[in-house]
Amino acid sequence: MTCPLSTITWNDFQELGLSEKAKLLQESGREFHVMFAQQFTRKRLDELGALATVIRRMAKSRDGRRFLGQCLAHQRAMLYFTQPSSRTFLSFCAACQILGMQIGEVRDPAVSSEFKGETREDSVRTFSSYFDLIIMRTELSGLVERMSWVLSQSERPVPIVNAGSGKDQHPTQALLDIYTLQRSFEDRGGIDGKTIMFVGDLARGRTVRSLSILLTTYKNVRQIFVAPESLQVGDDILVQLSAAGTDYEISSDFRKSIPEADAIYMTRVQHEWDVKGETSEDSIADYSFTTEHLKLLSPDSVLMHPFPRKGEISPDVDHDPRAVYWRQMRNGMWIRAALIASMFRCDDGITAESQSIGK
Ligand code: ASP
């Protein structure tokens, strides 16, 4: 695999718009690096969702698990997570393990040479000496981009997957959210034409930002952003929605919008990004989903959350069949396995094997 990013200087790359950048991240119709949501087309979302389903079904049988487990047994993945994580970290671990990959990890720079003053660039280049894939979570927006370019110029240009970068993007969470919506609306004509409502800290929630962008690849999807003014979604996202012709609404009326939604995507307040005096816990209290709200929710809509939750959804709601956040979490493992399998070009082999098992 040759990384198309290797052909451009850092300054020229920085000058490009997102769609031009996206072209330099793909190789033969698949992702070489995964940086941001804008690089996924509708076609890719359909392909990855279909592959996730094939993997999920294959993993139910011993033969299927054995086949999957040898697909990438010769490859190693490095999980470089310098920001707290439970779900994303573990679901990537599980996804790699499903495909038989060996994994290594650095989660605390205090126990790596960064403590001695090594730069992140040198750390990432070091990982690329030993591993074939780097999965990276960072508090710094833009770092994944920089590191992907740096590696592309090196003698071992291994792929990087963004597992959450700053307040900016969380593309693989958005993939699992799309996969959850695909599955939820499987018998209702798919995601096209649905109304998706985002609630909570939309200003700093990177999962909302990435998912909102992926939803623009579907036809006639309406997006409703419900938040107090100080936590409303950024203009940069709204500009992209307008450019894509997406119908959206900004609201602060949580109750009113609930009956209109086919999916409600709740989020927590991201206090880790607080600037002193910017927001308080109270400002979000009116935007929490309780059993009382279940009555307003239409019978075939779904309630989602990227987790962790901090009171935005009462645990009393968990028993309702429309609460799909636990399934959403597990979907992350399948779609991440599909993404990695596809990046390493074992997707066709997996699909062929699943057909022969099915015969
Ligand atoms: N787990 C998600 C993230 O890493 C959502 C959150 O932390 O609120 O962005």
Side-chain angles (χ1 to χ4, degrees), residues 2 7 79 108 116 171 331:
T2 322
T7 56
L79 286 98
D108 180 0
K116 303 178 195 165
N331 283 338

Side-chain angles (χ1 to χ4, degrees), residues 137 170 206-207 268 270 306-308:
R137 165 167 290 200
H170 197 343
R206 56 192 175 192
T207 67
R268 71 181 171 97
Q270 308 256 324
F307 271 47

